[in-house]
Amino acid sequence: MVNASILATFVPALPLLGAIVIASLRRSLKGNSAGYLGTGLMAIAFVLTAVIWWEHRAAPYTHAIELFDWIRIGGMHIPFAFQVDALSLTMMLIVTGVGTLIHLYSIGYMHDDKRVSTFFALLNLFTFAMLVLVMGANYVMTFIGWEGVGLCSYLLIGFWYTNPAYNYAARKAFVMNRIGDLGFVLGLAWLFSVTGTLNFTEVFAKAGTLDTATLTGITLLLFVGAIGKSAQLPLFTWLPDAMAGPTPVSALIHAATMVTAGIYLIVRSSVLFELAPVTQDVILYTGLITALVAATIGVFQNDIKKVLAYSTVSQLGYMFVALGLGAYSAGMFHVTTHAFFKALLFLGAGSVIHALGGEQDIRKMGGLKGSIKVTYLTFLLGTLAISGLFPFSGF
């Protein structure tokens, strides 16, 4: 168990180290050095996560790793602590595994960019924030990671800042996420006022003592936070605009990791949501309407990345339907499978855009099978998976 604690601490520390080193040396790093360093550290983080998962698989456990006493004011005690269990390990594998592949892809995709070192520093920083979000042992840790990924997504969406439209898209994403975050903060304040704690284990132990009206109010506010981060109605319009960022950003943030943070929050807080049936109904119908509306809008898009963006919103709607029905394991399974096939589709779209010299209008594409054979094959596999055909994971 001691080894697991040390390894788990290293998992978020490695991308943080990468972000600091690359940012500090960004003017002196030559060629693909930043990409190799950032990708290498991500790969090590993935290997460490896989080792922890293998140990956990043999003997499942929930283990809290308290690094230091962080906040102690009156009755509030918030340790800087990580929690390793089945849920956090699943998310850690997704973040580090898919993240490593996207970092690797970015080495080739971004090699001509003048600010490539800054790009990899931001990618590493984003990964660190996402790991803090999913590994936190209390709601405050989760919220720190939640805000961290919001900041990094703003910086990455507006990475090509010389284009005013991209800056607008970044601001829009940032502001719409803050709307959801307000609900999250209010929910946490209310939760602390009735339980006196924000540590997961203590909150869930006291959940049964709270009345239904209070739990409904708290869970609805937490769900508002999830709506903002996971792009559900009515706060979903930021996600298609966020396609302004480089394609690897779309794959990492807007397909595999950040947009699933809302799903993670509800699954992590499932003890509270199970005791608030009204909130579960709201989640169910919100997800259902979002899935239908987003898929319908996506049909009429011409931009290859916006088609995938609306598809992502629709798929997230499906996940919320599962959560509203109380099928948390099904929702998490969909999170895992979607992370892989949607990231694959975004990276495939990036390859097509690269091959066509920056063209993103699907009406001007076609007959590319002979020119980019590998992309054709991988894109086809991703399409079959998301279509739910046997024997792919989407089935």
Side-chain angles (χ1 to χ4, degrees):
M1 196 71 79
V2 174
N3 291 340
S5 301
I6 296 169
L7 292 180
T9 307
F10 270 111
V11 172
L14 287 167
L16 177 61
L17 175 66
I20 293 169
V21 171
I22 295 170
S24 303
L25 305 176
R26 69 186 185 281
R27 298 191 194 283
S28 55
L29 288 171
K30 297 287 187 284
N32 291 326
S33 307
Y36 291 132
L37 177 59
T39 307
L41 290 170
M42 281 296 298
I44 296 169
F46 172 67
V47 170
L48 295 181
T49 304
V51 170
I52 300 166
W53 171 80
W54 188 258
E55 181 186 301
H56 183 273
R57 180 175 163 273
Y61 59 82
T62 298
H63 182 50
I65 305 154
E66 189 169 328
L67 299 181
F68 54 87
D69 213 17
W70 186 24
I71 300 171
R72 192 182 283 276
I73 305 169
M76 178 184 277
H77 173 223
I78 307 289
F80 195 94
F82 295 130
Q83 182 167 310
V84 177
D85 57 16
L87 177 58
S88 60
L89 273 172
T90 301
M91 292 300 294
M92 286 162 67
L93 283 169
I94 293 171
V95 173
T96 56
V98 178
T100 301
L101 297 174
I102 292 168
H103 273 70
L104 187 62
Y105 175 96
S106 300
I107 293 173
Y109 193 87
M110 298 294 290
H111 72 95
D112 287 334
D113 198 286
K114 292 177 182 175
R115 298 172 62 235
V116 64
S117 296
T118 303
F119 180 79
F120 277 99
L122 289 173
L123 272 194
N124 268 191
L125 185 62
F126 170 84
T127 309
F128 163 71
M130 190 68 203
L131 286 168
V132 170
L133 192 161
V134 299
M135 291 176 69
N138 54 66
Y139 280 106
V140 178
M141 288 285 291
T142 296
F143 187 72
I144 295 298
W146 190 275
E147 292 301 301
V149 294
L151 172 64
C152 292
S153 73
Y154 164 75
L155 295 170
L156 285 164
I157 293 165
F159 182 73
W160 289 320
Y161 60 86
T162 51
N163 186 325
Y166 293 178
N167 287 329
Y168 172 77
R171 286 198 303 274
K172 182 176 181 179
F174 194 74
V175 171
M176 291 190 82
N177 270 276
R178 296 294 78 72
I179 296 169
D181 295 352
L182 176 62
F184 192 2
V185 170
L186 292 174
L188 296 189
W190 193 349
L191 189 61
F192 181 77
S193 71
V194 293
T195 62
T197 181
L198 288 174
N199 294 327
F200 291 138
T201 48
E202 294 169 20
V203 166
F204 302 151
K206 294 179 180 179
T209 63
L210 305 178
D211 61 275
T212 306
T214 300
L215 279 167
T216 301
I218 291 169
T219 50
L220 281 172
L221 286 170
L222 293 179
F223 179 52
V224 169
I227 285 175
K229 198 64 86 188
S230 293
Q232 298 296 285
L233 248 63
L235 301 177
F236 76 99
T237 55
W238 69 266
L239 186 61
D241 287 3
M243 296 302 111
T247 301
V249 172
S250 304
L252 180 64
I253 296 180
H254 309 121
T257 53
M258 188 181 102
V259 290
T260 61
I263 311 286
Y264 166 79
L265 177 66
I266 293 175
V267 175
R268 174 61 78 194
S269 310
S270 58
V271 173
L272 304 178
F273 284 86
E274 281 291 307
L275 298 171
V278 172
T279 305
Q280 286 193 304
D281 288 344
V282 172
I283 294 171
L284 171 62
Y285 292 116
T286 301
L288 191 62
I289 295 166
T290 303
L292 289 169
V293 170
T296 306
I297 296 172
V299 170
F300 296 96
Q301 297 299 308
N302 297 317
D303 184 307
I304 187 170
K305 284 174 70 177
K306 285 201 173 180
V307 172
L308 294 174
Y310 280 109
S311 165
T312 299
V313 177
S314 179
Q315 293 287 315
L316 289 164
Y318 279 121
M319 295 171 206
F320 276 105
V321 168
L323 302 187
L325 292 169
Y328 301 107
S329 56
M332 280 307 298
F333 181 71
H334 194 175
V335 165
T336 308
T337 58
H338 179 263
F340 284 90
F341 53 63
K342 185 54 67 65
L344 172 60
L345 288 169
F346 268 114
L347 298 181
S351 177
V352 172
I353 293 164
H354 228 50
L356 297 178
E359 182 58 65
Q360 292 186 206
D361 191 332
I362 56 174
R363 294 170 297 182
K364 298 176 183 176
M365 299 173 188
L368 297 171
K369 176 182 172 183
S371 307
I372 42 176
K373 292 185 176 67
V374 175
T375 301
Y376 162 75
L377 182 62
T378 53
F379 212 108
L380 178 63
L381 291 172
T383 306
L384 293 174
I386 200 170
S387 301
L389 295 178
F390 183 81
F392 296 94
S393 58
F395 174 76

